[in-house]
Amino acid sequence: MTVSSSNEVFLVFGAHIDEEKSGNGWVSGLIQEELSKTGDRYQVSSVRIEDREAVLRELDRVKPTRVINTAGKRGFPNADWCEDHKDAAIRSNVIGAANLVDCCFIRNVHITHFASACIYDEDESHPLDGPGFTEEEPPNYAASFYSYSKLVSEQAIKSYPNVLILRLRNPLAADLHPMNFITKLIRYEKIVNVPNSGTIMTNMTPAAVLLSRHRETGIFNFTNPGTFTHNEVMELTKKFIRPSLSWTNFSLEEQRKVLKAPRTNAKLDASKLEKTLAKYGYTILGAQDALEEAFVIMKAKGYK
Ligand SMILES: NC(=O)c1ccc[n+]([C@@H]2O[C@H](COP(=O)([O-])OP(=O)(O)OC[C@H]3O[C@@H](n4cnc5c(N)ncnc54)[C@H](OP(=O)(O)O)[C@@H]3O)[C@@H](O)[C@H]2O)c1
């Protein structure tokens, strides 16, 4: 535990059980870094979130005032993993998420749940250069098993009065963690080049803690306003940390042939998030500015 500057006690779910991996999930580690900066007390739980008795015991042991759930199966090296591990994806993303939210409800604890915005795909009314999908518009994408599991879990938990749902999209931070969108792009042989909404965690992690602190509830598109393309991420990677970087683009049709499951491309409307954060004096950066800022931080940290 860190030295406290508030009365909150955060309990963060999202730790690996496999000892060969490092102790934390990626987003879990980013949240812990932020809680260390803000001086809040926190503990990290390695309890499996679908284990009802263990979760209730953990809540009774730690007595958190806030729970943050980063536990979930995103799939490694990418979401195609979920096509071959459907039981594991359902156990973590659906049963686990619903169980954890329900246990927090029973113990009267506010929970922030990291969900996914990969439950939307561009359509005629939402071209990538047009208006983004708002939280009120029903999700329209479940063609990959990962997206399906995230859609079902969001539907299952969204009516609970104690839950804040933050929809991540292509999250990116100032590191080269395998779950970081930058790392994923660098590792692909070929990439598409499409504008998408994204979550620049360097700018958005403080916002997540702020929303939790203020007990916000409901669904939020947790993305920076605007979009960025795959090539823009690669160009900034080349400019700031890896001058030798080169890449090859291919078309969406070609991409479809090498993937097990189709992928989405979507723009999300972040105005509800912007307005809510403004109440607490926090301004989120537009996608382009946030992206550049993340690379400036990465360079300062010495990433190559
Ligand atoms: N990174 C992305 O691109 C992205 C995009 C959109 C949404 N998200 C969502 O954001 C959340 C965090 O993702 P991340 O990138 O931090 O992934 P990550 O690095 O794989 O972290 C997830 C953590 O959750 C743990 N976990 C998985 N199932 C669990 C369960 N049933 N009970 C307890 N812990 C469990 C994992 O441990 P084990 O490995 O031991 O299972 C891991 O430590 C996930 O729900 C993910 O779907 C991520």
Side-chain angles (χ1 to χ4, degrees):
M1 279 206 188
T2 54
V3 178
S4 168
S5 71
S6 78
N7 293 324
E8 308 303 349
V9 177
F10 287 83
L11 179 58
V12 182
F13 287 85
H16 295 303
I17 43 169
D18 181 349
E19 283 176 6
E20 283 179 13
K21 296 182 193 168
S22 68
N24 295 312
W26 178 52
V27 175
S28 174
L30 297 173
I31 291 290
Q32 290 170 51
E33 252 179 56
E34 179 60 23
L35 291 173
S36 299
K37 277 189 210 155
T38 53
D40 283 287
R41 286 178 292 163
Y42 71 89
Q43 289 194 33
V44 182
S45 179
S46 55
V47 156
R48 304 313 280 178
I49 56 173
E50 66 275 24
D51 184 340
R52 193 164 182 82
E53 286 73 28
V55 166
L56 286 170
R57 269 199 308 276
E58 195 77 327
L59 293 176
D60 292 341
R61 182 182 69 81
V62 178
K63 296 192 175 23
T65 59
R66 297 286 187 285
V67 165
I68 299 194
N69 181 34
T70 69
K73 290 288 188 199
R74 168 72 176 72
F76 185 80
N78 59 52
D80 277 349
W81 181 93
C82 295
E83 303 297 318
D84 297 325
H85 300 86
K86 291 181 175 158
D87 51 347
I90 290 292
R91 194 168 299 123
S92 292
N93 296 350
V94 180
I95 314 269
N99 179 56
L100 183 56
V101 170
D102 188 57
C103 289
C104 288
F105 174 69
I106 289 171
R107 292 294 190 263
N108 195 24
V109 181
H110 180 276
I111 172 167
T112 300
H113 171 73
F114 281 97
S116 176
C118 294
I119 53 176
Y120 289 93
D121 195 20
E122 60 171 323
D123 61 18
E124 273 183 13
S125 335
H126 305 87
L128 296 172
D129 58 356
F133 289 96
T134 67
E135 289 83 354
E136 281 69 42
E137 290 174 290
N140 67 352
Y141 184 83
S144 74
F145 197 79
Y146 173 71
S147 294
Y148 168 77
S149 71
K150 289 295 187 180
L151 199 161
V152 172
S153 89
E154 187 179 286
Q155 297 297 317
I157 64 176
K158 69 177 185 186
S159 312
Y160 278 85
N162 60 323
V163 67
L164 166 66
I165 297 175
L166 302 180
R167 289 170 169 167
L168 292 175
R169 168 95 190 144
N170 290 342
L172 186 158
D175 60 39
L176 284 176
H177 190 283
M179 285 291 168
N180 188 335
F181 189 57
I182 305 170
T183 318
K184 288 181 191 165
L185 289 186
I186 293 174
R187 288 184 178 174
Y188 281 125
E189 263 177 46
K190 293 180 178 177
I191 56 168
V192 292
N193 185 33
V194 187
N196 265 285
S197 287
T199 311
I200 318 291
M201 297 300 286
T202 36
N203 184 237
M204 297 285 266
T205 310
V209 171
L210 200 57
L211 293 172
S212 163
R213 197 183 297 290
H214 287 278
R215 289 182 190 275
E216 285 291 338
T217 55
I219 299 175
F220 285 82
N221 291 335
F222 200 62
T223 52
N224 292 85
T227 57
F228 53 84
T229 65
H230 299 70
N231 278 8
E232 280 167 346
V233 174
M234 296 300 262
E235 278 152 18
L236 287 170
T237 309
K238 189 175 171 70
K239 177 177 164 191
F240 281 96
I241 60 166
R242 199 167 290 183
S244 62
L245 184 69
S246 63
W247 63 94
T248 309
N249 287 127
F250 64 165
S251 67
L252 287 167
E253 293 74 50
E254 288 169 311
Q255 184 198 40
R256 181 67 195 93
K257 285 183 203 149
V258 300
L259 293 174
K260 260 188 202 276
R263 297 295 196 270
T264 71
N265 291 297
K267 182 175 175 191
L268 283 304
D269 183 319
S271 50
K272 177 182 174 188
L273 180 69
E274 283 183 288
K275 262 186 228 148
T276 307
L277 287 168
K279 284 194 299 188
Y280 308 125
Y282 193 82
T283 308
I284 47 171
L285 296 173
Q288 299 285 330
D289 289 342
L291 192 60
E292 178 121 10
E293 184 188 72
F295 278 99
V296 169
I297 297 170
M298 249 176 130
K299 189 180 165 79
K301 283 182 177 175
Y303 278 100
K304 287 189 169 74

